Amino acid sequence: MGKKVKKESEPPSKDVFDPLPIESKKAATVVLMLNSPEEEVLVKACEAIHKFAEKGDENRSSLLGLGAVEPLSHLISHEDKLVRRNAFMALGVMAANSDVKRLLKKLDAIPSIIGKLSPEEDVVVHEFATLCLASLSVDFSCKVQISDQEGLEPLIQLLSSPDPDVKKNSVETICNLVQDLPSRVAVRELNGVPPLLELLRSEFPVIQQLSLRTLVIVTTDTDTRATFREEQGFDRLLEFLCNKEFSDLHVEALQVLSNCLEDRDSLQLIHETGGLQRLLQFITTPTLLDIQTNAVKAIYRVAQSSENRKLLHEQDIERSLVELLSVEGDSLRTATCQAVAAMSLHLASKDAFRDLDGIRAVVQLLGSEGGEVREAAAQALSSLTSSNQLNAYAVYEAEGDEGLVQQLHDVIPGAVAHAAAVLTNMAEQEVLRCSILSHGAMAALLEPLQSADTHTLVRATQALAALACDAEGRADLRNAGGLVPLVQLLQSNHKEVRRNACWAISVCANDEPTAVEMCKLGALDLLQEINSSANRRNKFSEIALQRLLDSNLSLKYSLTNTLAPTDITMDGFYDPGKARSGQRVLTLEDLSKQPVNQRRPVIAINAKPLDTVSVDQSEERQQDSPTETRTASVLSSKGTTRTPSKGKSKGRKEDEKLRDEDESKPQQEVATVTEKPWMLPYDAAFHALVTEATKTILPLHAESEQYSALARLVSEVMGGAVEVDRQHDFLWELHLSELRYELQSNIIPIGQIRKGTYYHRALLYKVLADRIGVSCSLVRGEYNRVWNEVLLSAGTPHYPGCRPQPRAHLVDLIHQPGRLLRANTPQAIQYQTI
């Protein structure tokens, strides 16, 4: 850079230095001249630095290193107008450099810059001062300082400047400032919306674009949208949208429109002015992909209101959206699926999408490569199938169940959550549920059940509960190992996740194998802990605990000390004794592995012969692997909707061939591989008691006679009547010890006990009553006291045709066998305590 600075000749004077022409080709020399007291030197130096800085960012960095920024930051406040103008020109250009911006922030130059935005300043000062602010306003702390220094008001005033550069720089700065909420509100309060709308008529596209971007941000504020309506913003916007010359800016214009259409008043206004028809034209008319996408996004915003959905349905928007589903472009398909999801909240729209075959079109998008498209497609299906079984079946007919199960492995949490929601909606129908399970849904849910996303966890547990409502689903869940992550979710700190996990466990606890497995995994302890907390307890946790106990009566009796008449004991029931606080109740198999000890023996029930057990186990194995049978039934139930391919037929033949080869292996080889499971020994004596009770008790007609006769049978088997004052002579402990060492086991079959006290007799009474259909309960008290309660109708009814209220009675099994003691009487209390 070579810039001559000449001094005009002056009359010779003894005190005046003669003019010295200077020519410099070094930037450092010019930077030094910025400290000159002579205004003409300053003007020339600033001008030279401006030209040098315009040549590139490398030159700006060089000037920064030479120390040009600090003197320039002072010169912008110089009293000389020309010096001030040239200093702003130099500083405005240099401010584009990131290091210069940091230094200006450190020098606190923003107040001085804002101070020069007054109307009386030169237009060039306005241009480069706003250019400087446009560069600085990208930084968050600078935004705050500009707002604190009340810089927004003069910037809004400069939007009406006759100079286009001033307008451009001012609106760019405002666009940066409104990224923060306080500035958005300030724009409205400072009446900034009208000048922003006026800029839409600018002849410069960059100004129009910056104005639209600013409006996109400020119209996210409700009050600003109201001001937008009052200032005829829709008229300006529609005028802009109707001009094809501005088609490259229609994307931003549609974004503004989309924001404004969230308000019901705005939609009504645009509908009356024909704007809605114009919006629909953007959707149906092939044009730029971004324009169509933003038009659909506007429809999505409109559809957030129920009244708006009704209005859009009247415009047959469903047909347009279905057509767009087949248009290429991930962004457009994503927006369209989201709009379908929003419109599906309107009942009539759900039917319309089905009638237009839109559901099949959405199902096809589940296989898209784009993750956002898959997520939006699943979201649309979730909304379409919610409370609509016809749409759920339409998804099934479009073979969407398989794709949805596959989507449970997706890496996008939203895609997984929505897929699980659709499967939940479909699982209400048995045919659909079987089809979903045949595709391995339970195994696919394992990963979502361990997700870190709470929404995914909620949806996954809901899907699991819906699919586990029958034995096949629960067997699949057990075999897939899904009970482990499910039980772990009981420890979640998220209320909704924990609540849905409790519900899923309550569904899974409907059969004993699943309930026992969950208890082994600690579900019972966790549910007890939850129910003991006032903040964590919920109605589902209470139901889950109750169902878990109802499916494992041995555990229930040990923990609650009570079995109701509706709790029907079966083979495999055992009494491990009263569980202590915090003590884990072991299974029979675990107890069988313990060495013989001196603790209270475990009383077990089993009247099932070994040959029956083996048959039942083979049936259970078939139930635990029902995939082939279920698949066949599902395919046949669909009729001709799915035809097995030749490849599948070939696969079945190969499977049969392999199976034949497996069956030809020697039985000895199979025996060495298969380990024999532990089984509770058959109790032939108890079986004989059941047979005897059936023959002798059931023929009796009166309930009281049945209760008493059964009591006498139990007493006879367990050693007969024992007087109260002779109980110490009844050596039942010795008898049980002998049995324990004879059997070399802590588990004693109840049929082998010949001397039993209260809890042995009451247990035998309960299990025999359950076998022959006599109703009674089993209650454990303190000090080994256990008794049975039965209900008897006493007296005559007060009114004809009315049955008298039944009353509870205790059954005496030891002192006067067969005696029925009315509950809460002195005799009953004595039986319970003495």
Side-chain angles (χ1 to χ4, degrees), residues 40-71:
E40 187 176 353
V41 174
L42 294 173
V43 169
K44 297 293 184 181
C46 290
E47 183 181 354
I49 289 175
H50 168 243
K51 290 181 179 179
F52 184 67
E54 278 187 321
K55 295 179 180 179
D57 198 59
E58 187 178 344
N59 288 0
R60 296 174 197 133
S61 297
S62 176
L63 289 168
L64 172 67
L66 294 170
V69 176
E70 186 170 357

PDB file of all heavy atoms in Angstrom, residues 40-71:
ATOM      1  N   GLU A  40      -5.785  15.727   8.739  1.00  0.00           N
ATOM      2  CA  GLU A  40      -5.592  15.315   7.350  1.00  0.00           C
ATOM      3  C   GLU A  40      -4.807  14.011   7.287  1.00  0.00           C
ATOM      4  O   GLU A  40      -5.094  13.132   6.474  1.00  0.00           O
ATOM      5  CB  GLU A  40      -4.863  16.418   6.575  1.00  0.00           C
ATOM      6  CG  GLU A  40      -4.788  16.118   5.077  1.00  0.00           C
ATOM      7  CD  GLU A  40      -4.153  17.272   4.306  1.00  0.00           C
ATOM      8  OE1 GLU A  40      -3.891  18.340   4.893  1.00  0.00           O
ATOM      9  OE2 GLU A  40      -3.917  17.074   3.103  1.00  0.00           O
ATOM     10  N   VAL A  41      -3.824  13.876   8.173  1.00  0.00           N
ATOM     11  CA  VAL A  41      -3.051  12.642   8.227  1.00  0.00           C
ATOM     12  C   VAL A  41      -3.936  11.471   8.642  1.00  0.00           C
ATOM     13  O   VAL A  41      -3.887  10.369   8.082  1.00  0.00           O
ATOM     14  CB  VAL A  41      -1.863  12.792   9.209  1.00  0.00           C
ATOM     15  CG1 VAL A  41      -1.148  11.457   9.380  1.00  0.00           C
ATOM     16  CG2 VAL A  41      -0.896  13.859   8.723  1.00  0.00           C
ATOM     17  N   LEU A  42      -4.787  11.739   9.615  1.00  0.00           N
ATOM     18  CA  LEU A  42      -5.696  10.688  10.098  1.00  0.00           C
ATOM     19  C   LEU A  42      -6.661  10.244   9.008  1.00  0.00           C
ATOM     20  O   LEU A  42      -6.938   9.049   8.843  1.00  0.00           O
ATOM     21  CB  LEU A  42      -6.471  11.172  11.318  1.00  0.00           C
ATOM     22  CG  LEU A  42      -5.643  11.445  12.579  1.00  0.00           C
ATOM     23  CD1 LEU A  42      -6.527  12.077  13.650  1.00  0.00           C
ATOM     24  CD2 LEU A  42      -5.022  10.159  13.099  1.00  0.00           C
ATOM     25  N   VAL A  43      -7.175  11.195   8.261  1.00  0.00           N
ATOM     26  CA  VAL A  43      -8.112  10.876   7.184  1.00  0.00           C
ATOM     27  C   VAL A  43      -7.446   9.976   6.153  1.00  0.00           C
ATOM     28  O   VAL A  43      -8.007   8.951   5.730  1.00  0.00           O
ATOM     29  CB  VAL A  43      -8.637  12.168   6.531  1.00  0.00           C
ATOM     30  CG1 VAL A  43      -9.397  11.842   5.243  1.00  0.00           C
ATOM     31  CG2 VAL A  43      -9.536  12.918   7.478  1.00  0.00           C
ATOM     32  N   LYS A  44      -6.235  10.389   5.752  1.00  0.00           N
ATOM     33  CA  LYS A  44      -5.535   9.606   4.733  1.00  0.00           C
ATOM     34  C   LYS A  44      -5.140   8.225   5.254  1.00  0.00           C
ATOM     35  O   LYS A  44      -5.235   7.221   4.549  1.00  0.00           O
ATOM     36  CB  LYS A  44      -4.282  10.372   4.282  1.00  0.00           C
ATOM     37  CG  LYS A  44      -4.564  11.710   3.624  1.00  0.00           C
ATOM     38  CD  LYS A  44      -5.270  11.519   2.292  1.00  0.00           C
ATOM     39  CE  LYS A  44      -5.455  12.878   1.593  1.00  0.00           C
ATOM     40  NZ  LYS A  44      -6.154  12.717   0.304  1.00  0.00           N
ATOM     41  N   ALA A  45      -4.722   8.155   6.511  1.00  0.00           N
ATOM     42  CA  ALA A  45      -4.300   6.879   7.086  1.00  0.00           C
ATOM     43  C   ALA A  45      -5.488   5.917   7.196  1.00  0.00           C
ATOM     44  O   ALA A  45      -5.386   4.718   6.865  1.00  0.00           O
ATOM     45  CB  ALA A  45      -3.667   7.106   8.455  1.00  0.00           C
ATOM     46  N   CYS A  46      -6.627   6.409   7.682  1.00  0.00           N
ATOM     47  CA  CYS A  46      -7.835   5.565   7.795  1.00  0.00           C
ATOM     48  C   CYS A  46      -8.284   5.079   6.430  1.00  0.00           C
ATOM     49  O   CYS A  46      -8.709   3.925   6.267  1.00  0.00           O
ATOM     50  CB  CYS A  46      -8.955   6.336   8.474  1.00  0.00           C
ATOM     51  SG  CYS A  46      -8.681   6.643  10.232  1.00  0.00           S
ATOM     52  N   GLU A  47      -8.215   5.964   5.451  1.00  0.00           N
ATOM     53  CA  GLU A  47      -8.624   5.590   4.102  1.00  0.00           C
ATOM     54  C   GLU A  47      -7.726   4.468   3.559  1.00  0.00           C
ATOM     55  O   GLU A  47      -8.196   3.507   2.941  1.00  0.00           O
ATOM     56  CB  GLU A  47      -8.575   6.815   3.192  1.00  0.00           C
ATOM     57  CG  GLU A  47      -9.062   6.528   1.781  1.00  0.00           C
ATOM     58  CD  GLU A  47      -8.970   7.765   0.888  1.00  0.00           C
ATOM     59  OE1 GLU A  47      -8.645   8.862   1.398  1.00  0.00           O
ATOM     60  OE2 GLU A  47      -9.233   7.628  -0.320  1.00  0.00           O
ATOM     61  N   ALA A  48      -6.384   4.643   3.804  1.00  0.00           N
ATOM     62  CA  ALA A  48      -5.442   3.641   3.330  1.00  0.00           C
ATOM     63  C   ALA A  48      -5.666   2.294   4.012  1.00  0.00           C
ATOM     64  O   ALA A  48      -5.613   1.226   3.378  1.00  0.00           O
ATOM     65  CB  ALA A  48      -4.011   4.136   3.580  1.00  0.00           C
ATOM     66  N   ILE A  49      -5.929   2.311   5.322  1.00  0.00           N
ATOM     67  CA  ILE A  49      -6.169   1.064   6.064  1.00  0.00           C
ATOM     68  C   ILE A  49      -7.449   0.402   5.572  1.00  0.00           C
ATOM     69  O   ILE A  49      -7.525  -0.830   5.442  1.00  0.00           O
ATOM     70  CB  ILE A  49      -6.225   1.363   7.572  1.00  0.00           C
ATOM     71  CG1 ILE A  49      -4.821   1.710   8.083  1.00  0.00           C
ATOM     72  CG2 ILE A  49      -6.802   0.176   8.351  1.00  0.00           C
ATOM     73  CD1 ILE A  49      -4.779   2.147   9.517  1.00  0.00           C
ATOM     74  N   HIS A  50      -8.485   1.190   5.278  1.00  0.00           N
ATOM     75  CA  HIS A  50      -9.750   0.645   4.764  1.00  0.00           C
ATOM     76  C   HIS A  50      -9.528  -0.125   3.467  1.00  0.00           C
ATOM     77  O   HIS A  50     -10.004  -1.254   3.285  1.00  0.00           O
ATOM     78  CB  HIS A  50     -10.749   1.789   4.559  1.00  0.00           C
ATOM     79  CG  HIS A  50     -11.958   1.380   3.775  1.00  0.00           C
ATOM     80  ND1 HIS A  50     -12.277   1.932   2.547  1.00  0.00           N
ATOM     81  CD2 HIS A  50     -12.924   0.447   4.014  1.00  0.00           C
ATOM     82  CE1 HIS A  50     -13.376   1.368   2.070  1.00  0.00           C
ATOM     83  NE2 HIS A  50     -13.796   0.471   2.955  1.00  0.00           N
ATOM     84  N   LYS A  51      -8.753   0.496   2.555  1.00  0.00           N
ATOM     85  CA  LYS A  51      -8.501  -0.139   1.269  1.00  0.00           C
ATOM     86  C   LYS A  51      -7.660  -1.411   1.441  1.00  0.00           C
ATOM     87  O   LYS A  51      -7.895  -2.424   0.770  1.00  0.00           O
ATOM     88  CB  LYS A  51      -7.800   0.835   0.344  1.00  0.00           C
ATOM     89  CG  LYS A  51      -8.689   1.983  -0.122  1.00  0.00           C
ATOM     90  CD  LYS A  51      -7.930   2.911  -1.058  1.00  0.00           C
ATOM     91  CE  LYS A  51      -8.830   4.055  -1.551  1.00  0.00           C
ATOM     92  NZ  LYS A  51      -8.113   4.987  -2.444  1.00  0.00           N
ATOM     93  N   PHE A  52      -6.689  -1.345   2.339  1.00  0.00           N
ATOM     94  CA  PHE A  52      -5.824  -2.499   2.577  1.00  0.00           C
ATOM     95  C   PHE A  52      -6.620  -3.656   3.207  1.00  0.00           C
ATOM     96  O   PHE A  52      -6.457  -4.818   2.830  1.00  0.00           O
ATOM     97  CB  PHE A  52      -4.673  -2.077   3.498  1.00  0.00           C
ATOM     98  CG  PHE A  52      -3.662  -3.160   3.737  1.00  0.00           C
ATOM     99  CD1 PHE A  52      -2.853  -3.627   2.708  1.00  0.00           C
ATOM    100  CD2 PHE A  52      -3.510  -3.714   4.992  1.00  0.00           C
ATOM    101  CE1 PHE A  52      -1.906  -4.619   2.933  1.00  0.00           C
ATOM    102  CE2 PHE A  52      -2.572  -4.721   5.224  1.00  0.00           C
ATOM    103  CZ  PHE A  52      -1.765  -5.171   4.184  1.00  0.00           C
ATOM    104  N   ALA A  53      -7.518  -3.333   4.140  1.00  0.00           N
ATOM    105  CA  ALA A  53      -8.308  -4.361   4.834  1.00  0.00           C
ATOM    106  C   ALA A  53      -9.313  -5.023   3.914  1.00  0.00           C
ATOM    107  O   ALA A  53      -9.689  -6.188   4.105  1.00  0.00           O
ATOM    108  CB  ALA A  53      -9.022  -3.760   6.042  1.00  0.00           C
ATOM    109  N   GLU A  54      -9.770  -4.285   2.894  1.00  0.00           N
ATOM    110  CA  GLU A  54     -10.762  -4.840   1.967  1.00  0.00           C
ATOM    111  C   GLU A  54     -10.197  -5.965   1.112  1.00  0.00           C
ATOM    112  O   GLU A  54     -10.950  -6.756   0.549  1.00  0.00           O
ATOM    113  CB  GLU A  54     -11.305  -3.732   1.056  1.00  0.00           C
ATOM    114  CG  GLU A  54     -12.404  -2.901   1.687  1.00  0.00           C
ATOM    115  CD  GLU A  54     -13.017  -1.941   0.667  1.00  0.00           C
ATOM    116  OE1 GLU A  54     -12.254  -1.385  -0.157  1.00  0.00           O
ATOM    117  OE2 GLU A  54     -14.246  -1.762   0.688  1.00  0.00           O
ATOM    118  N   LYS A  55      -8.864  -6.025   1.025  1.00  0.00           N
ATOM    119  CA  LYS A  55      -8.229  -6.991   0.129  1.00  0.00           C
ATOM    120  C   LYS A  55      -8.269  -8.425   0.657  1.00  0.00           C
ATOM    121  O   LYS A  55      -7.973  -9.350  -0.076  1.00  0.00           O
ATOM    122  CB  LYS A  55      -6.785  -6.573  -0.145  1.00  0.00           C
ATOM    123  CG  LYS A  55      -6.696  -5.262  -0.917  1.00  0.00           C
ATOM    124  CD  LYS A  55      -5.241  -4.860  -1.149  1.00  0.00           C
ATOM    125  CE  LYS A  55      -5.152  -3.537  -1.921  1.00  0.00           C
ATOM    126  NZ  LYS A  55      -3.743  -3.133  -2.131  1.00  0.00           N
ATOM    127  N   GLY A  56      -8.566  -8.618   1.938  1.00  0.00           N
ATOM    128  CA  GLY A  56      -8.666  -9.982   2.438  1.00  0.00           C
ATOM    129  C   GLY A  56      -8.450 -10.092   3.931  1.00  0.00           C
ATOM    130  O   GLY A  56      -7.970  -9.148   4.589  1.00  0.00           O
ATOM    131  N   ASP A  57      -8.800 -11.265   4.465  1.00  0.00           N
ATOM    132  CA  ASP A  57      -8.725 -11.476   5.912  1.00  0.00           C
ATOM    133  C   ASP A  57      -7.281 -11.529   6.396  1.00  0.00           C
ATOM    134  O   ASP A  57      -6.986 -11.183   7.544  1.00  0.00           O
ATOM    135  CB  ASP A  57      -9.450 -12.778   6.282  1.00  0.00           C
ATOM    136  CG  ASP A  57      -9.797 -12.834   7.764  1.00  0.00           C
ATOM    137  OD1 ASP A  57     -10.520 -11.945   8.245  1.00  0.00           O
ATOM    138  OD2 ASP A  57      -9.326 -13.775   8.434  1.00  0.00           O
ATOM    139  N   GLU A  58      -6.370 -11.939   5.524  1.00  0.00           N
ATOM    140  CA  GLU A  58      -4.960 -11.975   5.918  1.00  0.00           C
ATOM    141  C   GLU A  58      -4.451 -10.579   6.229  1.00  0.00           C
ATOM    142  O   GLU A  58      -3.700 -10.362   7.192  1.00  0.00           O
ATOM    143  CB  GLU A  58      -4.146 -12.625   4.798  1.00  0.00           C
ATOM    144  CG  GLU A  58      -2.687 -12.865   5.175  1.00  0.00           C
ATOM    145  CD  GLU A  58      -1.910 -13.567   4.068  1.00  0.00           C
ATOM    146  OE1 GLU A  58      -2.558 -14.130   3.167  1.00  0.00           O
ATOM    147  OE2 GLU A  58      -0.667 -13.539   4.115  1.00  0.00           O
ATOM    148  N   ASN A  59      -4.887  -9.599   5.410  1.00  0.00           N
ATOM    149  CA  ASN A  59      -4.489  -8.200   5.654  1.00  0.00           C
ATOM    150  C   ASN A  59      -5.093  -7.691   6.961  1.00  0.00           C
ATOM    151  O   ASN A  59      -4.447  -6.928   7.691  1.00  0.00           O
ATOM    152  CB  ASN A  59      -4.949  -7.325   4.492  1.00  0.00           C
ATOM    153  CG  ASN A  59      -4.133  -7.567   3.240  1.00  0.00           C
ATOM    154  OD1 ASN A  59      -3.224  -8.394   3.230  1.00  0.00           O
ATOM    155  ND2 ASN A  59      -4.436  -6.838   2.162  1.00  0.00           N
ATOM    156  N   ARG A  60      -6.331  -8.109   7.269  1.00  0.00           N
ATOM    157  CA  ARG A  60      -6.954  -7.658   8.522  1.00  0.00           C
ATOM    158  C   ARG A  60      -6.184  -8.199   9.725  1.00  0.00           C
ATOM    159  O   ARG A  60      -5.985  -7.497  10.715  1.00  0.00           O
ATOM    160  CB  ARG A  60      -8.405  -8.134   8.568  1.00  0.00           C
ATOM    161  CG  ARG A  60      -9.279  -7.530   7.470  1.00  0.00           C
ATOM    162  CD  ARG A  60     -10.678  -8.117   7.439  1.00  0.00           C
ATOM    163  NE  ARG A  60     -11.319  -7.820   6.166  1.00  0.00           N
ATOM    164  CZ  ARG A  60     -11.975  -8.684   5.418  1.00  0.00           C
ATOM    165  NH1 ARG A  60     -12.091  -9.934   5.825  1.00  0.00           N
ATOM    166  NH2 ARG A  60     -12.516  -8.318   4.277  1.00  0.00           N
ATOM    167  N   SER A  61      -5.782  -9.460   9.614  1.00  0.00           N
ATOM    168  CA  SER A  61      -4.991 -10.043  10.706  1.00  0.00           C
ATOM    169  C   SER A  61      -3.661  -9.312  10.860  1.00  0.00           C
ATOM    170  O   SER A  61      -3.171  -9.090  11.977  1.00  0.00           O
ATOM    171  CB  SER A  61      -4.736 -11.532  10.441  1.00  0.00           C
ATOM    172  OG  SER A  61      -5.945 -12.247  10.414  1.00  0.00           O
ATOM    173  N   SER A  62      -3.060  -8.918   9.724  1.00  0.00           N
ATOM    174  CA  SER A  62      -1.798  -8.185   9.760  1.00  0.00           C
ATOM    175  C   SER A  62      -1.962  -6.839  10.446  1.00  0.00           C
ATOM    176  O   SER A  62      -1.142  -6.445  11.290  1.00  0.00           O
ATOM    177  CB  SER A  62      -1.272  -8.002   8.334  1.00  0.00           C
ATOM    178  OG  SER A  62      -0.096  -7.217   8.325  1.00  0.00           O
ATOM    179  N   LEU A  63      -3.053  -6.134  10.108  1.00  0.00           N
ATOM    180  CA  LEU A  63      -3.315  -4.837  10.736  1.00  0.00           C
ATOM    181  C   LEU A  63      -3.582  -4.997  12.233  1.00  0.00           C
ATOM    182  O   LEU A  63      -3.185  -4.146  13.039  1.00  0.00           O
ATOM    183  CB  LEU A  63      -4.521  -4.176  10.064  1.00  0.00           C
ATOM    184  CG  LEU A  63      -4.281  -3.660   8.632  1.00  0.00           C
ATOM    185  CD1 LEU A  63      -5.613  -3.294   7.982  1.00  0.00           C
ATOM    186  CD2 LEU A  63      -3.333  -2.462   8.640  1.00  0.00           C
ATOM    187  N   LEU A  64      -4.259  -6.081  12.598  1.00  0.00           N
ATOM    188  CA  LEU A  64      -4.499  -6.354  14.017  1.00  0.00           C
ATOM    189  C   LEU A  64      -3.178  -6.518  14.758  1.00  0.00           C
ATOM    190  O   LEU A  64      -2.976  -5.970  15.851  1.00  0.00           O
ATOM    191  CB  LEU A  64      -5.356  -7.615  14.164  1.00  0.00           C
ATOM    192  CG  LEU A  64      -5.540  -8.145  15.584  1.00  0.00           C
ATOM    193  CD1 LEU A  64      -6.373  -7.172  16.424  1.00  0.00           C
ATOM    194  CD2 LEU A  64      -6.204  -9.514  15.563  1.00  0.00           C
ATOM    195  N   GLY A  65      -2.253  -7.272  14.123  1.00  0.00           N
ATOM    196  CA  GLY A  65      -0.962  -7.494  14.744  1.00  0.00           C
ATOM    197  C   GLY A  65      -0.144  -6.216  14.881  1.00  0.00           C
ATOM    198  O   GLY A  65       0.673  -6.083  15.804  1.00  0.00           O
ATOM    199  N   LEU A  66      -0.387  -5.268  13.983  1.00  0.00           N
ATOM    200  CA  LEU A  66       0.343  -3.996  14.028  1.00  0.00           C
ATOM    201  C   LEU A  66      -0.282  -3.003  15.001  1.00  0.00           C
ATOM    202  O   LEU A  66       0.222  -1.888  15.160  1.00  0.00           O
ATOM    203  CB  LEU A  66       0.405  -3.388  12.626  1.00  0.00           C
ATOM    204  CG  LEU A  66       1.231  -4.183  11.592  1.00  0.00           C
ATOM    205  CD1 LEU A  66       1.027  -3.627  10.197  1.00  0.00           C
ATOM    206  CD2 LEU A  66       2.715  -4.158  11.963  1.00  0.00           C
ATOM    207  N   GLY A  67      -1.422  -3.398  15.600  1.00  0.00           N
ATOM    208  CA  GLY A  67      -2.042  -2.531  16.597  1.00  0.00           C
ATOM    209  C   GLY A  67      -2.958  -1.469  16.036  1.00  0.00           C
ATOM    210  O   GLY A  67      -3.129  -0.403  16.647  1.00  0.00           O
ATOM    211  N   ALA A  68      -3.604  -1.748  14.905  1.00  0.00           N
ATOM    212  CA  ALA A  68      -4.456  -0.738  14.277  1.00  0.00           C
ATOM    213  C   ALA A  68      -5.826  -0.630  14.933  1.00  0.00           C
ATOM    214  O   ALA A  68      -6.487   0.412  14.834  1.00  0.00           O
ATOM    215  CB  ALA A  68      -4.615  -1.057  12.795  1.00  0.00           C
ATOM    216  N   VAL A  69      -6.280  -1.683  15.600  1.00  0.00           N
ATOM    217  CA  VAL A  69      -7.665  -1.708  16.082  1.00  0.00           C
ATOM    218  C   VAL A  69      -7.908  -0.682  17.189  1.00  0.00           C
ATOM    219  O   VAL A  69      -8.903   0.063  17.168  1.00  0.00           O
ATOM    220  CB  VAL A  69      -8.033  -3.129  16.568  1.00  0.00           C
ATOM    221  CG1 VAL A  69      -9.439  -3.130  17.166  1.00  0.00           C
ATOM    222  CG2 VAL A  69      -7.960  -4.119  15.421  1.00  0.00           C
ATOM    223  N   GLU A  70      -7.011  -0.617  18.142  1.00  0.00           N
ATOM    224  CA  GLU A  70      -7.252   0.265  19.293  1.00  0.00           C
ATOM    225  C   GLU A  70      -7.336   1.734  18.896  1.00  0.00           C
ATOM    226  O   GLU A  70      -8.295   2.429  19.283  1.00  0.00           O
ATOM    227  CB  GLU A  70      -6.185   0.042  20.356  1.00  0.00           C
ATOM    228  CG  GLU A  70      -6.469   0.820  21.634  1.00  0.00           C
ATOM    229  CD  GLU A  70      -5.557   0.412  22.780  1.00  0.00           C
ATOM    230  OE1 GLU A  70      -4.735  -0.514  22.602  1.00  0.00           O
ATOM    231  OE2 GLU A  70      -5.678   1.030  23.862  1.00  0.00           O
ATOM    232  N   PRO A  71      -6.371   2.273  18.100  1.00  0.00           N
ATOM    233  CA  PRO A  71      -6.526   3.689  17.695  1.00  0.00           C
ATOM    234  C   PRO A  71      -7.771   3.919  16.837  1.00  0.00           C
ATOM    235  O   PRO A  71      -8.415   4.956  16.951  1.00  0.00           O
ATOM    236  CB  PRO A  71      -5.238   3.978  16.917  1.00  0.00           C
ATOM    237  CG  PRO A  71      -4.656   2.655  16.561  1.00  0.00           C
ATOM    238  CD  PRO A  71      -5.071   1.727  17.646  1.00  0.00           C
TER     239      PRO A  71
END
